[in-house]
Amino acid sequence: MGKMNSTTKSNFTRLTCTLLMTILLTGLTGCGSTPQVTVPLAYQKPPQAMPTYRQLAVDHNKHVAGLSRVWSKVNIDVTYRDEDGKTKKESGDESTLMIDLPQNVALSFGKFGLGTLLWAGSDEQHFWFFDLIGEKSMLFGSHASLNHVNIRNLPLQVRPADIPMLLGLLPLDPDAQSTVGWERGYLTIQPNNGPVKMLIDPVSHAVRQVIIFSPNGRPAVVSTLNKLYALPLAGSNDTAKLHLSIRVDVPAEGFVMLAKLSQVTDAKPGESRAKDKAFRRGFDWRYLADRAFKIPMDKRIDLDQQMH
């Protein structure tokens, strides 16, 4: 496979990180001023009888029960630092997100009048990024390959397959072990004392923030979720709960991404022929590389091969 020159790689990394920031999330209060509002009593102090982790897990799982595939338009605004340390901003007002749980993800980043500029995704075994600006290129590899490289040198600060978790769409294991804490007006859990901590709304028991910690114990990625929405589930009178407003921070890199979902659809198989086709092709990176985007062979960077 071909290698990127330094200019192409820098441009590819900057733009793809921008895209990723578009799909990731951020901190509960965010950056900047916070309006002075009356805080409801339930958020001022922990409840006298703290819920158990199992209770929180069961309630969260009820929110996402019946959800398998999600399709949505996305409006994205990203602030980041370029290679010279200067603050830059990008926006993608013609972007689309597809998720086939648990970890198939496809995010197209586009602008009105310009079409799709970047495409990021993952399936059970691989991740990929397509840079469609100018000279087309592609970076892809196995999920395992990310364990052997410095994440800063890659276009992704977060594994694409982690996006459903960052969006609060994955069920929790009720049998996991976790204490229930209290922080900034929210209940906290950290299943099995792992690298992921969640802040839970004390009233709705919905996930409001997801924090992935780096090996040094510092927050690597922080996703904050707002505007809880009851999504009608196809073929039933039930709904699933997800958030429409998302902020993602990668603190060490100075990235802040604001994403607003719209036209969200429960895209269960068989409900829409067009959506079925989009999902079938959207997670097929070979189809995307060969037919949809026609990436030259010498512009396909296989991360697994680069490591050998």
Side-chain angles (χ1 to χ4, degrees):
M1 297 294 176
K3 296 184 179 180
M4 295 181 179
N5 60 42
S6 59
T7 301
T8 301
K9 183 175 181 181
S10 175
N11 183 51
F12 182 83
T13 299
R14 176 180 65 82
L15 291 170
T16 309
C17 284
T18 296
L19 190 227
L20 230 206
M21 287 330 308
T22 295
I23 183 170
L24 303 173
L25 313 115
T26 133
L28 223 64
T29 57
C31 301
S33 60
T34 301
Q36 296 300 311
V37 297
T38 302
V39 179
L41 183 61
Y43 299 91
Q44 293 183 24
K45 58 182 180 181
Q48 291 184 345
M50 292 283 280
T52 64
Y53 165 77
R54 172 176 283 275
Q55 179 182 345
L56 294 177
V58 168
D59 288 350
H60 165 73
N61 291 349
K62 290 178 181 178
H63 291 164
V64 298
L67 198 60
S68 59
R69 299 200 314 193
V70 177
W71 183 96
S72 178
K73 289 288 187 180
V74 191
N75 191 303
I76 298 164
D77 291 296
V78 182
T79 302
Y80 64 98
R81 291 195 299 261
D82 66 12
E83 57 271 21
D84 298 321
K86 297 180 179 179
T87 299
K88 300 287 186 178
K89 294 185 178 181
E90 298 283 352
S91 63
D93 54 4
E94 291 287 335
S95 303
T96 303
L97 173 65
M98 295 188 295
I99 297 177
D100 187 356
L101 296 170
Q103 59 183 357
N104 287 5
V105 174
L107 175 69
S108 66
F109 180 83
K111 292 189 176 186
F112 180 76
L114 297 178
T116 301
L117 303 178
L118 292 165
W119 185 290
S122 67
D123 60 15
E124 292 82 357
Q125 297 179 325
H126 300 92
F127 72 89
W128 52 85
F129 286 91
F130 293 96
D131 179 2
L132 307 177
I133 302 172
E135 190 175 25
K136 297 178 181 179
S137 59
M138 172 189 183
L139 175 66
F140 68 104
S142 66
H143 294 306
S145 68
L146 297 179
N147 297 325
H148 306 285
V149 296
N150 186 337
I151 202 74
R152 287 187 176 183
N153 296 331
L154 297 174
L156 61 134
Q157 310 287 304
V158 172
R159 299 171 186 267
D162 284 344
I163 288 168
M165 175 183 65
L166 290 168
L167 289 169
L169 298 181
L170 294 184
L172 296 171
D173 179 5
D175 296 322
Q177 300 297 314
S178 177
T179 58
V180 178
W182 181 261
E183 181 179 322
R184 292 180 284 148
Y186 293 89
L187 301 163
T188 64
I189 58 174
Q190 196 162 346
N192 293 329
N193 200 32
V196 178
K197 179 178 180 179
M198 297 180 178
L199 272 63
I200 308 294
D201 190 292
V203 177
S204 67
H205 287 180
V207 175
R208 293 295 307 281
Q209 191 170 79
V210 180
I211 305 170
I212 300 179
F213 292 98
S214 62
N216 64 15
R218 296 179 180 177
V221 180
V222 183
S223 98
T224 301
L225 311 172
N226 288 293
K227 295 187 178 180
L228 191 64
Y229 171 65
L231 173 66
L233 294 176
S236 76
N237 295 322
D238 297 328
T239 62
K241 302 290 182 62
L242 52 77
H243 292 85
L244 301 180
S245 181
I246 302 156
R247 170 176 168 146
V248 179
D249 285 306
V250 178
E253 303 299 328
F255 289 107
V256 177
M257 183 282 304
L258 302 177
K260 293 183 179 180
L261 308 185
S262 63
Q263 303 179 38
V264 187
T265 303
D266 173 27
K268 275 189 175 59
E271 291 296 323
S272 165
R273 184 175 298 179
K275 294 257 186 341
D276 286 347
K277 182 178 180 180
F279 273 78
R280 186 169 57 253
R281 292 182 171 178
F283 304 119
D284 185 346
W285 64 268
R286 293 179 179 85
Y287 169 84
L288 295 172
D290 293 340
R291 302 183 62 183
F293 303 141
K294 296 180 171 58
I295 306 298
M297 293 301 296
D298 63 343
K299 299 299 181 183
R300 302 183 186 190
I301 313 303
D302 184 339
L303 184 57
D304 292 278
Q305 288 192 6
Q306 295 287 309
M307 292 166 48
H308 298 297

